[in-house]
PDB file of all heavy atoms in Angstrom:
ATOM      1  N   MET A 684      15.679 -15.314 -24.717  1.00  0.00           N
ATOM      2  CA  MET A 684      15.422 -15.443 -26.160  1.00  0.00           C
ATOM      3  C   MET A 684      15.863 -14.203 -26.924  1.00  0.00           C
ATOM      4  O   MET A 684      16.363 -14.299 -28.049  1.00  0.00           O
ATOM      5  CB  MET A 684      13.926 -15.700 -26.401  1.00  0.00           C
ATOM      6  CG  MET A 684      13.431 -17.027 -25.890  1.00  0.00           C
ATOM      7  SD  MET A 684      11.670 -17.273 -26.274  1.00  0.00           S
ATOM      8  CE  MET A 684      11.343 -18.775 -25.352  1.00  0.00           C
ATOM      9  N   LEU A 685      15.668 -13.032 -26.322  1.00  0.00           N
ATOM     10  CA  LEU A 685      16.081 -11.788 -26.981  1.00  0.00           C
ATOM     11  C   LEU A 685      17.584 -11.770 -27.227  1.00  0.00           C
ATOM     12  O   LEU A 685      18.061 -11.282 -28.260  1.00  0.00           O
ATOM     13  CB  LEU A 685      15.674 -10.580 -26.130  1.00  0.00           C
ATOM     14  CG  LEU A 685      14.185 -10.211 -26.138  1.00  0.00           C
ATOM     15  CD1 LEU A 685      13.887  -9.197 -25.044  1.00  0.00           C
ATOM     16  CD2 LEU A 685      13.781  -9.633 -27.497  1.00  0.00           C
ATOM     17  N   LEU A 686      18.353 -12.297 -26.286  1.00  0.00           N
ATOM     18  CA  LEU A 686      19.805 -12.286 -26.417  1.00  0.00           C
ATOM     19  C   LEU A 686      20.298 -13.301 -27.446  1.00  0.00           C
ATOM     20  O   LEU A 686      21.430 -13.223 -27.904  1.00  0.00           O
ATOM     21  CB  LEU A 686      20.451 -12.542 -25.049  1.00  0.00           C
ATOM     22  CG  LEU A 686      20.197 -11.459 -23.988  1.00  0.00           C
ATOM     23  CD1 LEU A 686      20.951 -11.768 -22.712  1.00  0.00           C
ATOM     24  CD2 LEU A 686      20.586 -10.082 -24.511  1.00  0.00           C
ATOM     25  N   GLU A 687      19.434 -14.279 -27.770  1.00  0.00           N
ATOM     26  CA  GLU A 687      19.820 -15.224 -28.815  1.00  0.00           C
ATOM     27  C   GLU A 687      19.778 -14.541 -30.185  1.00  0.00           C
ATOM     28  O   GLU A 687      20.533 -14.902 -31.090  1.00  0.00           O
ATOM     29  CB  GLU A 687      18.876 -16.433 -28.806  1.00  0.00           C
ATOM     30  CG  GLU A 687      19.060 -17.304 -27.568  1.00  0.00           C
ATOM     31  CD  GLU A 687      18.004 -18.392 -27.479  1.00  0.00           C
ATOM     32  OE1 GLU A 687      17.169 -18.494 -28.413  1.00  0.00           O
ATOM     33  OE2 GLU A 687      18.005 -19.134 -26.482  1.00  0.00           O
ATOM     34  N   GLY A 688      18.864 -13.552 -30.314  1.00  0.00           N
ATOM     35  CA  GLY A 688      18.865 -12.682 -31.489  1.00  0.00           C
ATOM     36  C   GLY A 688      18.327 -13.263 -32.770  1.00  0.00           C
ATOM     37  O   GLY A 688      18.399 -12.612 -33.812  1.00  0.00           O
ATOM     38  N   ASN A 689      17.788 -14.483 -32.764  1.00  0.00           N
ATOM     39  CA  ASN A 689      17.320 -15.082 -34.018  1.00  0.00           C
ATOM     40  C   ASN A 689      15.804 -15.296 -34.038  1.00  0.00           C
ATOM     41  O   ASN A 689      15.284 -16.021 -34.881  1.00  0.00           O
ATOM     42  CB  ASN A 689      18.035 -16.421 -34.276  1.00  0.00           C
ATOM     43  CG  ASN A 689      17.896 -17.358 -33.083  1.00  0.00           C
ATOM     44  OD1 ASN A 689      17.246 -17.023 -32.095  1.00  0.00           O
ATOM     45  ND2 ASN A 689      18.512 -18.519 -33.183  1.00  0.00           N
ATOM     46  N   ILE A 690      15.080 -14.684 -33.109  1.00  0.00           N
ATOM     47  CA  ILE A 690      13.615 -14.803 -33.057  1.00  0.00           C
ATOM     48  C   ILE A 690      13.020 -13.403 -33.003  1.00  0.00           C
ATOM     49  O   ILE A 690      13.506 -12.534 -32.276  1.00  0.00           O
ATOM     50  CB  ILE A 690      13.156 -15.603 -31.821  1.00  0.00           C
ATOM     51  CG1 ILE A 690      13.922 -16.923 -31.704  1.00  0.00           C
ATOM     52  CG2 ILE A 690      11.661 -15.882 -31.893  1.00  0.00           C
ATOM     53  CD1 ILE A 690      13.582 -17.714 -30.444  1.00  0.00           C
ATOM     54  N   LYS A 691      11.964 -13.172 -33.762  1.00  0.00           N
ATOM     55  CA  LYS A 691      11.310 -11.878 -33.748  1.00  0.00           C
ATOM     56  C   LYS A 691      10.635 -11.631 -32.398  1.00  0.00           C
ATOM     57  O   LYS A 691      10.184 -12.577 -31.736  1.00  0.00           O
ATOM     58  CB  LYS A 691      10.269 -11.798 -34.861  1.00  0.00           C
ATOM     59  CG  LYS A 691      10.863 -11.814 -36.263  1.00  0.00           C
ATOM     60  CD  LYS A 691       9.780 -11.727 -37.313  1.00  0.00           C
ATOM     61  CE  LYS A 691      10.377 -11.727 -38.720  1.00  0.00           C
ATOM     62  NZ  LYS A 691       9.311 -11.671 -39.757  1.00  0.00           N
ATOM     63  N   ILE A 692      10.556 -10.352 -32.037  1.00  0.00           N
ATOM     64  CA  ILE A 692      10.003  -9.999 -30.725  1.00  0.00           C
ATOM     65  C   ILE A 692       8.564 -10.482 -30.584  1.00  0.00           C
ATOM     66  O   ILE A 692       8.159 -10.990 -29.528  1.00  0.00           O
ATOM     67  CB  ILE A 692      10.097  -8.476 -30.491  1.00  0.00           C
ATOM     68  CG1 ILE A 692      11.569  -8.061 -30.377  1.00  0.00           C
ATOM     69  CG2 ILE A 692       9.334  -8.062 -29.235  1.00  0.00           C
ATOM     70  CD1 ILE A 692      11.792  -6.557 -30.246  1.00  0.00           C
ATOM     71  N   GLY A 693       7.756 -10.332 -31.650  1.00  0.00           N
ATOM     72  CA  GLY A 693       6.372 -10.796 -31.601  1.00  0.00           C
ATOM     73  C   GLY A 693       6.268 -12.295 -31.352  1.00  0.00           C
ATOM     74  O   GLY A 693       5.391 -12.759 -30.612  1.00  0.00           O
ATOM     75  N   GLU A 694       7.189 -13.047 -31.950  1.00  0.00           N
ATOM     76  CA  GLU A 694       7.197 -14.503 -31.753  1.00  0.00           C
ATOM     77  C   GLU A 694       7.618 -14.852 -30.332  1.00  0.00           C
ATOM     78  O   GLU A 694       7.094 -15.795 -29.730  1.00  0.00           O
ATOM     79  CB  GLU A 694       8.146 -15.157 -32.752  1.00  0.00           C
ATOM     80  CG  GLU A 694       7.674 -15.072 -34.193  1.00  0.00           C
ATOM     81  CD  GLU A 694       8.688 -15.673 -35.165  1.00  0.00           C
ATOM     82  OE1 GLU A 694       9.661 -16.288 -34.678  1.00  0.00           O
ATOM     83  OE2 GLU A 694       8.510 -15.520 -36.383  1.00  0.00           O
ATOM     84  N   ILE A 695       8.583 -14.092 -29.796  1.00  0.00           N
ATOM     85  CA  ILE A 695       9.026 -14.323 -28.417  1.00  0.00           C
ATOM     86  C   ILE A 695       7.875 -14.116 -27.446  1.00  0.00           C
ATOM     87  O   ILE A 695       7.655 -14.910 -26.520  1.00  0.00           O
ATOM     88  CB  ILE A 695      10.207 -13.394 -28.060  1.00  0.00           C
ATOM     89  CG1 ILE A 695      11.461 -13.812 -28.835  1.00  0.00           C
ATOM     90  CG2 ILE A 695      10.477 -13.401 -26.554  1.00  0.00           C
ATOM     91  CD1 ILE A 695      12.643 -12.890 -28.642  1.00  0.00           C
ATOM     92  N   ALA A 696       7.106 -13.033 -27.674  1.00  0.00           N
ATOM     93  CA  ALA A 696       5.960 -12.751 -26.803  1.00  0.00           C
ATOM     94  C   ALA A 696       5.021 -13.943 -26.760  1.00  0.00           C
ATOM     95  O   ALA A 696       4.561 -14.365 -25.689  1.00  0.00           O
ATOM     96  CB  ALA A 696       5.223 -11.500 -27.298  1.00  0.00           C
ATOM     97  N   GLU A 697       4.753 -14.519 -27.926  1.00  0.00           N
ATOM     98  CA  GLU A 697       3.848 -15.668 -27.997  1.00  0.00           C
ATOM     99  C   GLU A 697       4.459 -16.902 -27.355  1.00  0.00           C
ATOM    100  O   GLU A 697       3.778 -17.649 -26.641  1.00  0.00           O
ATOM    101  CB  GLU A 697       3.511 -15.953 -29.467  1.00  0.00           C
ATOM    102  CG  GLU A 697       2.430 -17.001 -29.645  1.00  0.00           C
ATOM    103  CD  GLU A 697       2.037 -17.174 -31.097  1.00  0.00           C
ATOM    104  OE1 GLU A 697       2.375 -16.288 -31.916  1.00  0.00           O
ATOM    105  OE2 GLU A 697       1.399 -18.201 -31.415  1.00  0.00           O
ATOM    106  N   LYS A 698       5.755 -17.127 -27.581  1.00  0.00           N
ATOM    107  CA  LYS A 698       6.424 -18.308 -27.047  1.00  0.00           C
ATOM    108  C   LYS A 698       6.483 -18.324 -25.520  1.00  0.00           C
ATOM    109  O   LYS A 698       6.553 -19.392 -24.908  1.00  0.00           O
ATOM    110  CB  LYS A 698       7.847 -18.411 -27.602  1.00  0.00           C
ATOM    111  CG  LYS A 698       7.926 -18.900 -29.037  1.00  0.00           C
ATOM    112  CD  LYS A 698       9.368 -18.956 -29.508  1.00  0.00           C
ATOM    113  CE  LYS A 698       9.454 -19.510 -30.923  1.00  0.00           C
ATOM    114  NZ  LYS A 698       9.096 -20.950 -30.972  1.00  0.00           N
ATOM    115  N   VAL A 699       6.477 -17.131 -24.875  1.00  0.00           N
ATOM    116  CA  VAL A 699       6.560 -17.094 -23.412  1.00  0.00           C
ATOM    117  C   VAL A 699       5.186 -16.900 -22.766  1.00  0.00           C
ATOM    118  O   VAL A 699       5.087 -16.697 -21.550  1.00  0.00           O
ATOM    119  CB  VAL A 699       7.530 -15.996 -22.914  1.00  0.00           C
ATOM    120  CG1 VAL A 699       8.940 -16.260 -23.404  1.00  0.00           C
ATOM    121  CG2 VAL A 699       7.052 -14.606 -23.322  1.00  0.00           C
ATOM    122  N   GLY A 700       4.110 -16.962 -23.590  1.00  0.00           N
ATOM    123  CA  GLY A 700       2.782 -16.973 -22.999  1.00  0.00           C
ATOM    124  C   GLY A 700       1.982 -15.698 -23.079  1.00  0.00           C
ATOM    125  O   GLY A 700       0.903 -15.600 -22.489  1.00  0.00           O
ATOM    126  N   PHE A 701       2.487 -14.677 -23.815  1.00  0.00           N
ATOM    127  CA  PHE A 701       1.733 -13.429 -23.988  1.00  0.00           C
ATOM    128  C   PHE A 701       0.988 -13.470 -25.316  1.00  0.00           C
ATOM    129  O   PHE A 701       1.609 -13.576 -26.378  1.00  0.00           O
ATOM    130  CB  PHE A 701       2.667 -12.212 -23.958  1.00  0.00           C
ATOM    131  CG  PHE A 701       3.240 -11.913 -22.601  1.00  0.00           C
ATOM    132  CD1 PHE A 701       4.478 -12.399 -22.236  1.00  0.00           C
ATOM    133  CD2 PHE A 701       2.528 -11.141 -21.694  1.00  0.00           C
ATOM    134  CE1 PHE A 701       5.017 -12.130 -20.978  1.00  0.00           C
ATOM    135  CE2 PHE A 701       3.049 -10.863 -20.437  1.00  0.00           C
ATOM    136  CZ  PHE A 701       4.298 -11.352 -20.079  1.00  0.00           C
ATOM    137  N   ASN A 702      -0.329 -13.370 -25.263  1.00  0.00           N
ATOM    138  CA  ASN A 702      -1.124 -13.409 -26.487  1.00  0.00           C
ATOM    139  C   ASN A 702      -1.129 -12.081 -27.228  1.00  0.00           C
ATOM    140  O   ASN A 702      -1.439 -12.022 -28.406  1.00  0.00           O
ATOM    141  CB  ASN A 702      -2.572 -13.811 -26.165  1.00  0.00           C
ATOM    142  CG  ASN A 702      -2.657 -15.223 -25.638  1.00  0.00           C
ATOM    143  OD1 ASN A 702      -1.913 -16.101 -26.072  1.00  0.00           O
ATOM    144  ND2 ASN A 702      -3.556 -15.459 -24.692  1.00  0.00           N
TER     145      ASN A 702
END
Side-chain angles (χ1 to χ4, degrees):
M684 293 182 188
L685 285 168
L686 296 184
E687 291 173 3
N689 54 2
I690 310 176
K691 293 180 179 179
I692 293 176
E694 292 177 9
I695 290 175
E697 188 175 344
K698 284 179 177 291
V699 298
F701 289 95
N702 295 324

